Amino acid sequence: MDSKKKVLVIAYYWPPSGGAGVQRWLKLTKYLAKLGHEVHVLSVDPEKASYFNLDESLKEDIHPNVKVHLSDSFEPINMYSRLVGKKNVPTAGYSNVDDQHWKQKLVSGIRSNVFIPDPRIGWKNFAYKKAMEIIQNENIQNVITTSPPHSTQLIGLKLKRKLKDKIKWIVDFRDPWTDIYYYNLLQHSKISHNINLKLERQVVEESDRIITVGEGFKESFLSKTNKVTPDKFEIISNAFDPDDFKMKDEVHPDKDVFLASYIGTVSDKYEPDVFFEALGQLAKDFPDAPIQFKATGVVSERLQELITSHLGDKASFHAPVPHEQAVHAMLKSRVLLLITPGIEGTIPGKTFEYLASGRRIVSIGKGDSAKAIIKCNAGAAFERSEKEAVYAYLKSALMDYQNNIPFETDYDELKKMSWNYKAAQVAELLR
């Protein structure tokens, strides 16, 4: 291995923040540290942060050799949540947004036209000052900024313009910026939209390298400028942590229930209707079968109504749980529902944990997620128009359950989708 490298990762979402966005760099820093690199993380003081949810258990997964630095922040989202009510503040993925309601329009309008590119912009100057201090004191040459929130990228942009070749600035885009699937809900004016486009372009052009999770996102960012070539990008998908699945040999689905589950945040904008239509029809056709659906996380009210209309009391909804319990919920399931927004290249982070669970995956939406599922022989993917095909697949899964036929995935392919494998890819980009 090369000599030990030093890296500063700037990430807004960090334990005790919960949610899928925390996992990527919590895990990558863990395995970079295990590889022997000196890893520093700069995040926001949780006392000043505006997190969507909390998961204190994630603190236990911070590698002891990772040095965590915190900075102050100004969080206007905390103030306007008091003005319009916390339930009217958009959650992760805009899963609670009713784009017809005046309060939601007001919140989105304030968010998009006053706080550009996002309400976490108040962290920028505090984080920049702290980052300069860390870089100088620790003699750090590699800086990685990860987003969302995309205001984090403006910290990296400011650092790069100040320090120039003294640092290598690597941008990590976990999600698109102006092409994110809920962007049209944000009530942007023409001015704010153009500012976002300009900032996005500057980050893409002025960074040294760009990491993103799939080819579709890469193409999205490449389309923003003619000054960048494809070789500036490195595709490093999300992954799973083998340590999180040590309970796998001990936790099994209940024998008396054919349980289909969704774990995470989901909006009706994802359009998952076909799955529930098919599962509902299966429940009607096989009334004696113990079919159940369980959602653990954040599900929009409109989608809850849709699910209940097809499944009645066979459906249940549960609040978000700590990550360890989320893994437990996956392992207790027979079928895991994956929903990919209608954007090419989108791979939800949960895809890889679903794969690691060894449970059968039904993906609504194809693309890069479907490729991973097929490569691991872990389930099937369908377009939103393929109700009959979804029904046939679920029926086959039910028959296997009733006949005690086990479901098996390709674990040799799965090993390539672990965080330790991905961390080695990141290490190759450091100088």
Side-chain angles (χ1 to χ4, degrees):
M1 189 186 76
D2 293 342
S3 59
K4 183 171 68 172
K5 299 171 182 177
K6 295 184 177 184
V7 58
L8 170 63
V9 177
I10 303 178
Y12 184 91
Y13 294 115
W14 185 259
S17 174
V22 181
Q23 298 291 325
R24 182 170 173 85
W25 284 96
L26 176 62
K27 301 300 187 179
L28 285 171
T29 56
K30 170 183 174 179
Y31 284 101
L32 282 170
K34 282 189 173 186
L35 287 170
H37 302 295
E38 183 178 319
V39 183
H40 296 257
V41 173
L42 171 58
S43 192
V44 62
D45 183 341
E47 295 295 321
K48 302 295 180 66
S50 48
Y51 295 142
F52 295 120
N53 55 66
L54 297 175
D55 186 349
E56 295 285 347
S57 71
L58 292 180
K59 291 179 179 178
E60 299 171 10
D61 213 24
I62 301 172
H63 193 279
N65 291 346
V66 172
K67 301 174 184 178
V68 179
H69 310 262
L70 302 175
S71 77
D72 202 348
S73 182
F74 171 67
E75 301 280 334
I77 196 171
N78 289 330
M79 290 187 291
Y80 73 67
S81 69
R82 289 192 288 269
L83 290 174
V84 301
K86 188 172 182 180
K87 71 176 183 178
N88 291 308
V89 176
T91 58
Y94 268 53
S95 60
N96 67 331
V97 168
D98 177 357
D99 55 358
Q100 302 303 311
H101 195 284
W102 71 269
K103 279 192 177 181
Q104 294 284 18
K105 288 184 177 180
L106 173 64
V107 170
S108 294
I110 294 172
R111 176 213 186 278
S112 302
N113 297 288
V114 178
F115 309 115
I116 301 172
D118 54 64
R120 277 79 183 179
I121 189 64
W123 184 47
K124 175 189 167 185
N125 290 336
F126 294 100
Y128 168 77
K129 182 178 179 181
K130 187 70 175 180
M132 285 291 293
E133 177 186 313
I134 298 165
I135 290 166
Q136 291 167 355
N137 291 345
E138 305 294 340
N139 191 29
I140 289 172
Q141 293 184 319
N142 300 283
V143 174
I144 299 175
T145 49
T146 179
S147 65
H150 297 300
S151 52
T152 305
Q153 305 300 356
L154 304 188
I155 303 166
L157 184 63
K158 190 173 181 179
L159 289 169
K160 183 64 178 178
R161 287 175 173 176
K162 176 69 175 179
L163 297 172
K164 299 185 176 11
D165 291 339
K166 292 179 181 178
I167 61 168
K168 182 176 186 179
W169 176 33
I170 301 171
V171 164
D172 176 61
F173 285 121
R174 305 190 309 271
D175 281 321
W177 190 326
T178 56
D179 289 332
I180 190 72
Y181 66 92
Y182 54 77
Y183 188 79
N184 63 350
L185 298 178
L186 299 180
Q187 309 292 329
H188 285 290
S189 67
K190 186 174 182 179
I191 293 173
S192 67
H193 173 58
N194 287 335
I195 294 173
N196 268 285
L197 287 173
K198 179 181 178 181
L199 293 173
E200 181 181 29
R201 184 176 67 253
Q202 288 173 337
V203 169
V204 169
E205 290 178 352
E206 297 184 41
S207 55
D208 293 301
R209 291 298 299 271
I210 299 172
I211 301 171
T212 192
V213 298
E215 288 291 337
F217 288 3
K218 172 183 171 180
E219 294 303 319
S220 167
F221 289 111
L222 273 172
S223 71
K224 307 303 177 183
T225 175
N226 58 8
K227 296 181 180 179
V228 170
T229 56
D231 58 4
K232 184 171 184 174
F233 287 78
E234 184 77 14
I235 303 299
I236 300 179
S237 69
N238 286 314
F240 73 92
D241 187 346
D243 289 349
D244 291 342
F245 288 84
K246 289 179 178 178
M247 68 176 86
K248 186 174 177 179
D249 292 336
E250 302 170 5
V251 181
H252 305 282
D254 293 333
K255 293 181 179 179
D256 299 330
V257 181
F258 181 76
L259 178 64
S261 297
Y262 182 88
I263 293 96
T265 298
V266 60
S267 162
D268 47 289
K269 304 296 180 184
Y270 280 35
E271 300 177 332
D273 308 36
V274 63
F275 178 86
F276 299 106
E277 291 169 6
L279 188 63
Q281 187 63 50
L282 191 69
K284 290 176 183 177
D285 293 347
F286 296 87
D288 295 330
I291 295 170
Q292 297 285 332
F293 174 78
K294 179 180 179 181
T296 301
V298 180
V299 181
S300 69
E301 290 183 14
R302 195 179 302 172
L303 188 52
Q304 286 191 39
E305 292 172 2
L306 171 90
I307 295 168
T308 304
S309 72
H310 290 292
L311 290 164
D313 60 6
K314 294 182 180 293
S316 61
F317 305 94
H318 305 266
V321 296
H323 186 248
E324 183 177 352
Q325 293 179 37
V327 171
H328 188 275
M330 294 177 201
L331 295 174
K332 295 294 288 183
S333 306
R334 300 271 174 189
V335 172
L336 292 170
L337 169 62
L338 181 70
I339 313 167
T340 302
I343 299 174
E344 183 64 29
T346 302
I347 310 180
K350 68 170 64 65
T351 302
F352 301 94
E353 296 199 325
Y354 276 14
L355 289 169
S357 74
R359 304 303 181 249
R360 190 188 303 260
I361 302 170
V362 174
S363 175
I364 303 303
K366 295 187 177 180
D368 289 357
S369 287
K371 294 173 187 174
I373 292 167
I374 292 167
K375 190 176 287 187
C376 293
N377 192 34
F382 305 92
E383 300 292 359
R384 287 166 171 80
S385 59
E386 297 183 286
K387 177 184 173 181
E388 291 79 10
V390 176
Y391 175 88
Y393 188 81
L394 289 172
K395 181 180 177 181
S396 175
L398 178 62
M399 296 301 104
D400 285 354
Y401 158 73
Q402 292 179 330
N403 293 306
N404 294 314
I405 299 173
F407 180 73
E408 297 181 354
T409 57
D410 186 337
Y411 287 100
D412 289 334
E413 283 295 333
L414 189 60
K415 291 175 185 175
K416 301 173 186 176
M417 300 181 185
S418 61
W419 281 122
N420 45 342
Y421 188 91
K422 304 298 182 181
Q425 290 181 276
V426 173
E428 288 295 317
L429 301 179
L430 305 179
R431 73 180 186 192

